[in-house]
Amino acid sequence: MAQICGLRPLPQVPNSCRISDEDVELLAGAKHPEPSRLLGPKFIDGHVVLRCWVSGAQSIAVASDCFLAEASDEKKDPPSEVALQQVARCPEECRWLFEAAFQLEGGDFEQFKGKWSYELRISYGGDASTTLPDPYNLGPLLPEAFLGSWAS
Protein backbone atom coordinates (compact mmCIF):
# COMPACT_ATOMS: atom_id res chain seq x y z
CA MET A 1 0.00 0.00 0.00
CA ALA A 2 1.47 3.35 -1.04
CA GLN A 3 1.92 6.00 1.60
CA ILE A 4 -0.27 9.02 0.78
CA CYS A 5 1.55 11.51 2.96
CA GLY A 6 4.31 11.54 5.50
CA LEU A 7 6.50 13.53 7.83
CA ARG A 8 10.01 14.60 6.97
CA PRO A 9 11.97 15.29 10.20
CA LEU A 10 13.55 18.74 10.46
CA PRO A 11 16.96 19.10 12.16
CA GLN A 12 15.53 21.61 14.64
CA VAL A 13 12.29 23.37 15.49
CA PRO A 14 11.98 26.52 13.34
CA ASN A 15 12.02 29.79 15.30
CA SER A 16 8.49 30.58 14.10
CA CYS A 17 7.27 27.38 15.79
CA ARG A 18 9.03 27.75 19.13
CA ILE A 19 7.00 27.75 22.32
CA SER A 20 6.97 31.11 24.13
CA ASP A 21 8.94 31.66 27.33
CA GLU A 22 5.68 32.50 29.11
CA ASP A 23 4.11 29.18 28.05
CA VAL A 24 7.23 27.28 29.18
CA GLU A 25 7.08 29.01 32.57
CA LEU A 26 3.36 28.29 33.00
CA LEU A 27 3.80 24.61 32.06
CA ALA A 28 6.77 24.25 34.41
CA GLY A 29 4.76 25.77 37.24
CA ALA A 30 1.71 23.56 36.47
CA LYS A 31 -0.29 26.76 35.98
CA HIS A 32 -0.99 26.75 32.25
CA PRO A 33 -4.72 27.26 31.70
CA GLU A 34 -4.77 25.31 28.43
CA PRO A 35 -1.86 22.82 28.08
CA SER A 36 -3.69 20.94 25.31
CA ARG A 37 -3.16 24.01 23.11
CA LEU A 38 0.60 23.35 23.30
CA LEU A 39 1.07 19.61 23.78
CA GLY A 40 0.60 16.84 21.25
CA PRO A 41 0.82 17.23 17.47
CA LYS A 42 0.13 20.79 16.25
CA PHE A 43 0.25 22.48 12.85
CA ILE A 44 2.24 25.69 13.24
CA ASP A 45 3.44 27.96 10.46
CA GLY A 46 3.36 25.19 7.85
CA HIS A 47 5.07 22.58 10.05
CA VAL A 48 3.92 19.73 12.23
CA VAL A 49 5.30 20.18 15.75
CA LEU A 50 5.04 17.43 18.35
CA ARG A 51 5.49 18.55 21.95
CA CYS A 52 5.21 16.48 25.09
CA TRP A 53 5.71 17.01 28.80
CA VAL A 54 6.78 13.86 30.63
CA SER A 55 7.72 14.21 34.27
CA GLY A 56 11.14 12.76 35.02
CA ALA A 57 12.02 11.98 31.38
CA GLN A 58 15.64 12.29 30.32
CA SER A 59 15.03 11.62 26.63
CA ILE A 60 12.08 10.91 24.34
CA ALA A 61 11.82 9.56 20.82
CA VAL A 62 8.71 9.30 18.67
CA ALA A 63 8.25 6.09 16.68
CA SER A 64 6.01 5.94 13.61
CA ASP A 65 5.80 4.39 10.17
CA CYS A 66 4.91 7.81 8.69
CA PHE A 67 8.42 9.24 8.61
CA LEU A 68 10.13 10.05 5.33
CA ALA A 69 13.88 10.18 4.68
CA GLU A 70 15.44 13.55 5.60
CA ALA A 71 16.01 14.57 1.97
CA SER A 72 13.49 13.76 -0.77
CA ASP A 73 16.20 12.34 -3.06
CA GLU A 74 17.88 10.35 -0.29
CA LYS A 75 18.35 6.62 -0.97
CA LYS A 76 18.38 5.62 2.72
CA ASP A 77 15.37 4.12 4.43
CA PRO A 78 13.30 6.57 6.47
CA PRO A 79 13.86 6.55 10.22
CA SER A 80 11.56 4.42 12.35
CA GLU A 81 11.95 6.86 15.24
CA VAL A 82 13.01 10.47 15.71
CA ALA A 83 14.50 11.94 18.89
CA LEU A 84 12.64 14.87 20.39
CA GLN A 85 14.74 17.81 21.52
CA GLN A 86 14.63 18.92 25.13
CA VAL A 87 13.43 22.51 25.47
CA ALA A 88 16.40 24.10 27.24
CA ARG A 89 14.40 27.07 28.54
CA CYS A 90 12.67 24.93 31.16
CA PRO A 91 13.77 25.43 34.76
CA GLU A 92 16.64 23.14 35.79
CA GLU A 93 14.50 21.15 38.24
CA CYS A 94 11.90 20.18 35.60
CA ARG A 95 13.41 19.86 32.13
CA TRP A 96 10.63 17.62 30.91
CA LEU A 97 9.35 19.48 27.85
CA PHE A 98 10.41 17.91 24.55
CA GLU A 99 9.63 18.81 20.94
CA ALA A 100 10.35 17.94 17.32
CA ALA A 101 9.29 19.53 14.03
CA PHE A 102 8.41 17.91 10.73
CA GLN A 103 7.50 18.95 7.22
CA LEU A 104 4.18 17.39 6.18
CA GLU A 105 4.39 16.13 2.62
CA GLY A 106 1.52 15.15 0.37
CA GLY A 107 -1.49 15.82 2.54
CA ASP A 108 -3.68 17.96 4.75
CA PHE A 109 -2.87 18.22 8.47
CA GLU A 110 -6.39 17.56 9.77
CA GLN A 111 -6.70 14.38 7.68
CA PHE A 112 -3.19 13.30 8.59
CA LYS A 113 -3.63 14.02 12.32
CA GLY A 114 -6.66 11.75 12.49
CA LYS A 115 -4.70 8.86 10.97
CA TRP A 116 -1.24 9.40 12.46
CA SER A 117 -0.32 6.61 14.80
CA TYR A 118 2.78 7.03 16.92
CA GLU A 119 4.39 5.94 20.17
CA LEU A 120 6.55 7.88 22.59
CA ARG A 121 9.63 5.97 23.73
CA ILE A 122 10.62 7.51 27.02
CA SER A 123 13.88 7.02 28.89
CA TYR A 124 14.10 7.98 32.54
CA GLY A 125 17.80 7.20 32.85
CA GLY A 126 19.57 3.98 33.72
CA ASP A 127 17.45 1.04 32.60
CA ALA A 128 14.12 2.73 33.30
CA SER A 129 12.06 3.30 30.16
CA THR A 130 8.53 2.97 28.84
CA THR A 131 6.57 3.21 25.62
CA LEU A 132 3.26 5.08 25.40
CA PRO A 133 0.88 5.00 22.44
CA ASP A 134 -0.11 8.55 21.43
CA PRO A 135 -0.99 9.99 24.85
CA TYR A 136 -2.57 13.11 23.30
CA ASN A 137 -5.16 11.28 21.16
CA LEU A 138 -8.22 10.75 23.27
CA GLY A 139 -10.44 10.03 20.26
CA PRO A 140 -14.17 9.99 20.71
CA LEU A 141 -14.81 9.22 24.36
CA LEU A 142 -18.56 8.65 24.01
CA PRO A 143 -20.47 7.81 20.80
CA GLU A 144 -22.70 10.55 19.36
CA ALA A 145 -25.81 8.34 19.76
CA PHE A 146 -25.09 8.02 23.48
CA LEU A 147 -24.63 11.78 23.86
CA GLY A 148 -27.82 12.39 21.89
CA SER A 149 -29.83 10.16 24.22
CA TRP A 150 -28.58 12.18 27.19
CA ALA A 151 -29.62 15.43 25.52
CA SER A 152 -33.23 14.28 25.02
Side-chain angles (χ1 to χ4, degrees):
M1 181 184 211
Q3 191 169 342
I4 296 172
C5 63
L7 295 174
R8 192 171 311 284
L10 298 175
Q12 61 185 356
V13 176
N15 286 335
S16 61
C17 301
R18 294 205 182 264
I19 188 169
S20 74
D21 289 342
E22 179 183 5
D23 283 331
V24 169
E25 189 175 310
L26 289 169
L27 283 171
K31 295 179 181 177
H32 201 286
E34 208 177 352
S36 62
R37 184 175 56 82
L38 305 170
L39 302 174
K42 306 296 176 203
F43 192 70
I44 304 170
D45 197 31
H47 299 92
V48 175
V49 178
L50 176 63
R51 283 194 198 101
C52 56
W53 180 278
V54 180
S55 180
Q58 289 188 357
S59 66
I60 300 178
V62 58
S64 176
D65 61 358
C66 290
F67 296 138
L68 302 172
E70 287 186 33
S72 58
D73 61 346
E74 204 169 311
K75 303 292 183 209
K76 294 191 308 187
D77 288 334
S80 60
E81 70 178 40
V82 173
L84 276 65
Q85 302 165 7
Q86 192 174 45
V87 176
R89 294 172 289 138
C90 287
E92 187 68 37
E93 65 276 5
C94 59
R95 296 211 166 176
W96 305 321
L97 180 61
F98 295 81
E99 63 185 358
F102 305 88
Q103 184 66 47
L104 177 63
E105 307 230 345
D108 170 76
F109 177 69
E110 288 306 317
Q111 286 181 324
F112 180 76
K113 182 180 169 187
K115 296 177 183 173
W116 186 25
S117 174
Y118 68 88
E119 294 179 338
L120 294 179
R121 296 182 178 166
I122 304 162
S123 172
Y124 295 98
D127 292 336
S129 64
T130 192
T131 299
L132 297 174
D134 182 359
Y136 299 102
N137 181 7
L138 297 176
L141 298 177
L142 294 173
E144 285 297 319
F146 190 74
L147 294 174
S149 68
W150 273 1
S152 10

